[in-house]
Each structure stands twice: as structure tokens, then as C-alpha cells.
């Protein structure tokens, strides 16, 4: 679906503007699980697609002793990620590069594993993102993603409007699975229920929880984000942001929107 940008700032815009270091539901618990299912192990070379502020790439290098390349479309994110890797003392093993996930600037089959946390649904061509992730992975390597996934069947208009307000396109479970298979993965597996609880949507920060009544943002983060929204989008933007936030919370709390970890293997070369 091609988004029209009429409901900006979207929820994704708000999360990015907030300055919070991890930008996906499930927080670092889901990042840890993603690293496990992707089979990360010492000496492997991993691609983290849409690496944001680099929090996950740095975590992978520190926890699994892998070498990581992160790629992101935003210069601001790349520069924040490079600063974070330097501060964490892993800049020799974690590098970042500007680029588009729909046209990855790498040769075929160069990474032992490829991960995308929460950003396959953001660009227009989500199938293209998955195709590219599989292309740059070595035969036999794992591709892992986690994505917003509908728990209930909705009408196309409701789904489209929600995607406009969220800034990413949730799909039904079978659609994600089918797209991963179309990209060329075998043995596609998933974990849905444990990552779909509302509290998982609120866990988007690195080392701490917020009280559940605060949902995604603490009061301080909310005020800081509001100031940034007004300076970037004006008062109308602030009103849209509040509407989007209300609709997002309603979808999560009513059990319509879930979150799912998916992974699969690129077939080993035969012959
Ligand atoms: C929801 S954040 C996820 C960041 C990180 N993976 C995390 O979980 O914290 C989405 C990220 O995708 C990046 N992004 C959006 N469109 C992209 C594209 N076409 N190619 C690469 N990165 C993109 C944004 O700049 C942002 O850093």
C-alpha cells in the first residue's frame, strides 16, 4: 500500500521524535530472542536492516560477539548510531551505512544472517525489502523480522487508515508468512502470542519499564515529544498526533493489533 502522508506525524514519527533508544515493541527481550532465533554466534557477520539508533546492532555485538553492519535511510539515525557504537566501545565491530532497505547496497550472499526489527512494513515495497534481505544472506543463513500483525480480520478501509496513522503497514499473519516464503525462505517459523500482549507494545525502551498507565511515553517523554511535534508539524500536527495515539492504543487494547517474530532459512546451495 502506498501511504499518502495525510495523518502525519504518525506513531512511528512520534517514537522517532521522542528520542527513545529502541523503537520497537517487545524492547530488548524481543531483540535477545531475535538474536537467538537468527543463530547469532561468535565470528558471524550480520546485517541489521533499518538499524535506527544502533541499539540492537550494539547489543548483538556485545552479547553474541558478532560483527554487525547496520543500514538506515536516515542520516540522523546513522550519526546517532555511530556515536552510540563509539561510546559502547564496539565501533571496530559495528559499522553503519546510509541506504535504502528496498535496494540494499551489498552483493549477493555476503551475510551469515540478516535481521530487520520493526521496519519491513515502513517502506512502500515490503516484499522488496524481504527479497533484498534474502538476496544478501548466505545460502543456509537465517533471515529474522518482527512486525505488527493483525489479530482480527478488519475491512480494507480500516486497515488502510490505520496504516496511515501508524506509519507502518500491519498485515495478517498469513500475509507475512506468504511474503517471507515468496522471498525464498524455507522452514518459516513464528512466535505470536507472547509478543502481542499490550504491555509488549509499551516496552520500547532499553533498560527500564514505564508504569503501564503511561503506555508508550512517560510524562517527560510526552512533553518533550509534543514540543518537537509542534516545532516540526505545528498545532495541527499536535492534534493529529493525539488522535493517532488514541486510535493506536484502542487497536492494541481491543486486541485487534498484535506483534509477531518471524524467521526462516535461505535454502542451502545444492549441487
Ligand atoms: C521503527 S524504527 C526501527 C529501528 C530499529 N530497528 C529498532 O528496532 O529500534 C524504523 C527505522 O527504519 C528506518 N527506515 C525507514 N525507511 C527505511 C528504508 N526505506 N530503508 C532503510 N531504513 C528505513 C527509519 O529511519 C528508522 O530508523
Amino acid at each position: 500500500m502506498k501511504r499518502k502522508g495525510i495523518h502525519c506525524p504518525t506513531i512511528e514519527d512520534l517514537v522517532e521524535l521522542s528520542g527513545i533508544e529502541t523503537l520497537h515493541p517487545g524492547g530488548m527481550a524481543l531483540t535477545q530472542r531475535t538474536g537467538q532465533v537468527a543463530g547469532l554466534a561468535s565470528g558471524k557477520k550480520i546485517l541489521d536492516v533499518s538499524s535506527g539508533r544502533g541499539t540492537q546492532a550494539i547489543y548483538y555485538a556485545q552479547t553474541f560477539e558478532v560483527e554487525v553492519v547496520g543500514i538506515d535511510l536516515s542520516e540522523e539515525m546513522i550519526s546517532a548510531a555511530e556515536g552510540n557504537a563509539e561510546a559502547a566501545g564496539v565501533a571496530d565491530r559495528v559499522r553503519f551505512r546510509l541506504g535504502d532497505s528496498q535496494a540494499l547496497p551489498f552483493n549477493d550472499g555476503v551475510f551469515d544472517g540478516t535481521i530487520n526489527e520493526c521496519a519491513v512494513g515502513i517502506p512502500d515495497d515490503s516484499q522488496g525489502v524481504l527479497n533484498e534481505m534474502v538476496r544478501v544472506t548466505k545460502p543456509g543463513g537465517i533471515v529474522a523480522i518482527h512486525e505488527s500483525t493483525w489479530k482480527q480480520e478488519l475491512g480494507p478501509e480500516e486497515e488502510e487508515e490505520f496504516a496511515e496513522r501508524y506509519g507502518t503497514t500491519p498485515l495478517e499473519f498469513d500475509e507475512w508468512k506468504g511474503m517471507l516464503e515468496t522471498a525464498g525462505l524455507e522452514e518459516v517459523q513464528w512466535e505470536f502470542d507472547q509478543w502481542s500482549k499490550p504491555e509488549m507494545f509499551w516496552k520500547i525502551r532499553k533498560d527500564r519499564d514505564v508504569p503501564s498507565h503511561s503506555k508508550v511515553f512517560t510524562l517527560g517523554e510526552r512533553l518533550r515529544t509534543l514540543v518537537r511535534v509542534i516545532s516540526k508539524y505545528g498545532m495541527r500536527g499536535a492534534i493529529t498526533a493525539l488522535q493517532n495515539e488514541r486510535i493506536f492504543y484502542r487497536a492494541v487494547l481491543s486486541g485487534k493489533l498484535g506483534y509477531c517474530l518471524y524467521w526462516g532459512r535461505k535454502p542451502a546451495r545444492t549441487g
Side-chain angles (χ1 to χ4, degrees), residues 12 16 21-24 50-52 56 72-74 77 99-102 117-119 122-123:
E12 291 290 356
E16 286 183 28
E21 60 279 73
T22 77
L23 305 173
H24 66 258
S50 296
S51 44
Q56 294 74 27
D72 201 282
L73 194 60
S74 151
M77 288 291 175
D100 188 343
S101 55
Q102 300 161 109
E117 300 202 49
C118 197
I122 294 177

Side-chain angles (χ1 to χ4, degrees), residues 62-171:
Q62 290 174 328
T63 308
F64 298 99
E65 298 177 351
V66 287
E67 192 187 323
V68 190
V69 177
I71 186 159
D72 201 282
L73 194 60
S74 151
E75 276 180 44
E76 212 181 309
M77 288 291 175
I78 292 292
S79 141
E82 284 172 343
N84 289 337
E86 195 73 53
V90 294
D92 57 331
R93 292 182 284 138
V94 185
R95 293 190 187 79
F96 296 95
R97 182 163 169 178
L98 196 65
D100 188 343
S101 55
Q102 300 161 109
L104 292 172
F106 304 107
N107 292 333
D108 296 359
V110 286
F111 295 99
D112 294 300
T114 303
I115 289 173
N116 184 319
E117 300 202 49
C118 197
V120 179
I122 294 177
D124 289 335
D125 185 7
S126 298
Q127 182 67 63
V129 175
L130 295 175
N131 295 347
E132 281 291 271
M133 289 178 66
V134 175
R135 179 184 67 74
V136 301
T137 304
K138 289 180 186 167
I142 301 284
V143 170
I145 69 166
H146 41 78
E147 268 303 336
S148 297
T149 301
W150 292 117
K151 287 169 95 176
Q152 296 172 13
E153 227 172 276
L154 308 183
E157 273 173 34
E158 192 180 351
E159 285 189 3
E160 195 172 329
E161 187 190 328
F162 189 84
E164 285 275 351
R165 292 182 181 279
Y166 195 4
T168 189
T169 305
L171 295 175

